[in-house]
């Protein structure tokens, strides 16, 4: 009967994972709503040239926000600056529930030094962290 022990640890890990996911979803939501991560249905973003295609990103879920921001979060984790060719699908089940699927192509833009947001968000965060750390070479 030893295999029944430790169930609380598993529940705690699952709750911690869900908390981290909700924090990352909130971060992705804020970046998207601030207009810093475009998601378009067309194959290009007006005024920007695509330098690299990072691949297909998709997410599914029973909540439309969960599916959309999950997809955007996966693209950001790849280093994407936008999603082009966005599409979504809704499946209706006989019990009345809906199942959402969101997908698109994660892309990076050509670097424009005049644009402060031209770097991917992950690189912007690394540069901010580097600026905040004291320079050890000066000692």
């Amino acid at each position: 009967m030893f295999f029944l022990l430790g169930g609380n640890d598993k529940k705690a890990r699952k709750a911690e994972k869900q908390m981290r996911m909700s924090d990352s979803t909130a971060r992705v939501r804020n970046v998207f709503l601030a207009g810093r991560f475009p998601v378009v249905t067309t194959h290009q973003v007006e005024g920007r040239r695509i330098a690299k295609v990072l691949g297909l990103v998709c997410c599914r879920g029973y909540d439309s926000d969960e599916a959309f921001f999950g997809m955007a979060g996966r693209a950001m984790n790849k280093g994407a600056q936008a999603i082009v060719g966005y599409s979504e699908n809704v499946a209706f089940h006989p019990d009345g529930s809906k199942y959402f699927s969101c997908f698109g192509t994660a892309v990076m833009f050509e670097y424009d030094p005049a644009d402060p947001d031209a770097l991917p968000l992950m690189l912007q965060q690394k540069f901010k962290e580097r600026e905040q750390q004291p320079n050890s070479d000066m000692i």
Side-chain angles (χ1 to χ4, degrees):
M1 292 291 176
F2 290 110
F3 61 89
L4 295 177
L5 300 176
N8 292 336
D9 291 337
K10 187 174 182 180
K11 289 178 185 177
R13 284 193 305 260
K14 185 175 182 179
E16 182 180 328
K17 182 178 179 183
Q18 287 177 342
M19 183 65 112
R20 283 190 310 239
M21 287 176 62
S22 64
D23 289 343
S24 67
T25 302
R27 181 182 63 86
V28 170
R29 178 188 302 267
N30 290 337
V31 170
F32 174 77
L33 293 177
R36 295 178 57 204
F37 191 83
V39 177
V40 296
T41 58
T42 59
H43 295 290
Q44 63 184 7
V45 177
E46 188 175 334
R48 304 297 297 265
R49 291 190 56 161
I50 294 173
K52 187 174 185 180
V53 175
L54 301 173
L56 182 70
V57 288
C58 63
C59 190
R60 299 178 182 105
Y62 290 102
D63 181 33
S64 62
D65 283 351
E66 173 190 354
F68 179 81
F69 292 116
M71 174 202 60
R74 289 176 182 183
M76 286 182 191
N77 287 340
K78 286 185 167 190
Q81 294 172 293
I83 294 176
V84 297
Y86 169 74
S87 186
E88 62 185 26
N89 184 19
V90 181
F92 297 93
H93 293 279
D95 65 358
S97 63
K98 299 175 189 174
Y99 193 69
F100 298 90
S101 299
C102 297
F103 52 94
T105 304
V107 297
M108 291 179 74
F109 298 126
E110 286 185 352
Y111 178 67
D112 182 9
D115 185 5
D117 295 329
L119 292 173
L121 294 173
M122 292 172 58
L123 292 177
Q124 289 177 18
Q125 292 172 355
K126 287 182 182 180
F127 284 123
K128 286 179 185 178
E129 291 171 3
R130 187 176 293 166
E131 288 175 359
Q132 292 174 356
Q133 292 177 353
N135 193 347
S136 61
D137 295 339
M138 301 297 286
I139 298 176

